[in-house]
Amino acid sequence: MTKRDILILPDPKLRLVSEPVARVDDAVRQLADDMLDTMYAAPGIGLAAIQIGVPSRMLVLDVAREGEEPAPLVVINPEIVWASEEHSVYQEGCLSIPEYYEDVERPEKIGLRFLDRDGAEREIEAEGLLSTCLQHEIDHLNGVLFIDHISRLKRGRVLRKFQKQARQSEKA
């Protein structure tokens, strides 16, 4: 298992639409393990493969609270099959947009179909933080960032801040 580097805004790869995983094999399971190591080390509760530069429709997450037993979930080729009409608002952050948080409104509950780390098809119903985290990470697979769900003014400020930081680190 290997900790990987996380892409940071404004890296253009974060806007790529990820490709479906053709088959779940040892290489995919190794990628999942690397992603979990990277996510836990960050620390974070979710990570999409594209955030480490791999444009595959795959994500990992663990929404267990502090003091609870870890509950890692590997999600391959996710598909939201339904979403509730009720919405909820969570303050979201992102490992690719460090130290920036904003309220985002999303469907409160979703139904999700996906492959697990063994390639078995699964369906789950998610609500609360799990629902929000899944939707956030699936957005990454579609080239969408959580800042795309906030006002244009706030999004512009965040983009300028991270573009400036990227320019300064290139000069250093």
Side-chain angles (χ1 to χ4, degrees), residues 112-155:
L112 186 73
R113 181 180 305 132
F114 64 98
L115 300 177
D116 66 16
R117 70 176 288 125
D118 297 318
E121 188 171 299
R122 296 194 41 206
E123 282 196 35
I124 60 171
E125 188 174 298
E127 61 183 303
L129 182 59
L130 178 59
S131 174
T132 296
C133 189
L134 284 165
Q135 292 174 74
H136 176 111
E137 299 307 332
I138 291 168
D139 271 357
H140 274 298
L141 304 181
N142 296 320
V144 176
L145 302 173
F146 87 95
I147 58 171
D148 296 335
H149 295 283
I150 63 176
S151 75
R152 194 142 111 235
L153 179 66
K154 288 180 182 178
R155 184 171 50 253

Side-chain angles (χ1 to χ4, degrees), residues 21-159:
V21 173
R23 132 178 164 257
V24 179
D25 56 16
D26 288 342
V28 169
R29 284 185 281 277
Q30 181 62 55
L31 176 60
D33 291 342
D34 290 355
M35 289 170 63
L36 284 165
D37 281 353
T38 302
M39 179 190 77
Y40 287 130
I45 62 170
L47 185 73
I50 192 62
Q51 290 180 271
I52 58 169
V54 179
S56 294
R57 294 193 72 77
M58 183 172 165
L59 62 95
V60 297
L61 54 86
D62 188 342
V63 295
R65 304 224 184 271
E66 197 171 317
E68 292 180 351
E69 191 69 29
L73 182 62
V74 175
V75 177
I76 302 166
N77 296 339
E79 177 189 354
I80 295 174
V81 292
W82 61 266
S84 66
E85 290 185 23
E86 301 83 28
H87 285 76
S88 59
V89 175
Y90 271 91
Q91 188 170 76
E92 295 186 24
C94 182
L95 296 175
S96 293
I97 309 173
E99 298 176 20
Y100 182 77
Y101 304 91
E102 196 62 61
D103 286 346
V104 176
E105 182 178 328
R106 298 182 185 271
E108 188 176 307
K109 298 177 185 177
I110 61 167
L112 186 73
R113 181 180 305 132
F114 64 98
L115 300 177
D116 66 16
R117 70 176 288 125
D118 297 318
E121 188 171 299
R122 296 194 41 206
E123 282 196 35
I124 60 171
E125 188 174 298
E127 61 183 303
L129 182 59
L130 178 59
S131 174
T132 296
C133 189
L134 284 165
Q135 292 174 74
H136 176 111
E137 299 307 332
I138 291 168
D139 271 357
H140 274 298
L141 304 181
N142 296 320
V144 176
L145 302 173
F146 87 95
I147 58 171
D148 296 335
H149 295 283
I150 63 176
S151 75
R152 194 142 111 235
L153 179 66
K154 288 180 182 178
R155 184 171 50 253
R157 284 187 196 142
V158 174
L159 287 169

